[in-house]
């Protein structure tokens, strides 16, 4: 699994935790993987494995009234 794939899986899992805690209003997710942020915020037609996972990440964001993924330098 690539770093990008691992970060994507971690994001989906953090979204699942927020949903289980019934946090569904304004949510801000952070990651130190700028490529993931760019792909999520500028989703082109990507037919790769990571593209499919990115679509899953987008679907996870759609649960919340407002949610954003931002890059945070670590």
């Amino acid at each position: 699994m690539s770093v990008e794939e691992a970060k994507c899986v971690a994001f989906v899992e953090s979204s699942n935790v927020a949903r289980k805690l019934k946090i569904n209003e304004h949510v801000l997710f952070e990651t130190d993987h700028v490529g993931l942020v760019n792909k999520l915020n500028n989703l082109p037609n990507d037919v790769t494995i990571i593209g499919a996972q990115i679509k899953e990440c987008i679907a996870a964001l759609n649960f919340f009234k407002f949610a954003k993924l931002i890059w945070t330098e670590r």
Side-chain angles (χ1 to χ4, degrees):
M1 180 180 289
S2 71
V3 172
E4 188 173 47
E5 289 171 311
K7 296 287 185 170
C8 191
V9 168
F11 166 72
V12 171
E13 288 304 314
S14 65
S15 171
N16 289 338
V17 170
R19 287 175 31 194
K20 286 178 185 174
L21 293 173
K22 298 187 183 342
I23 301 170
N24 60 3
E25 289 292 322
H26 290 65
V27 183
L28 183 64
F29 295 97
E30 293 183 356
T31 183
D32 62 346
H33 196 285
V34 71
L36 180 61
V37 173
N38 287 338
K39 284 189 178 188
L40 277 169
N41 291 330
N42 303 308
L43 186 64
N45 292 331
D46 187 346
V47 295
T48 62
I49 292 172
I50 190 64
Q53 290 178 318
I54 294 294
K55 288 177 185 173
E56 188 176 337
C57 291
I58 293 292
L61 284 174
N62 289 332
F63 172 80
F64 304 98
K65 185 175 183 177
F66 174 84
K68 187 172 186 177
L69 177 66
I70 63 168
W71 174 73
T72 303
E73 188 174 2
R74 297 263 194 293

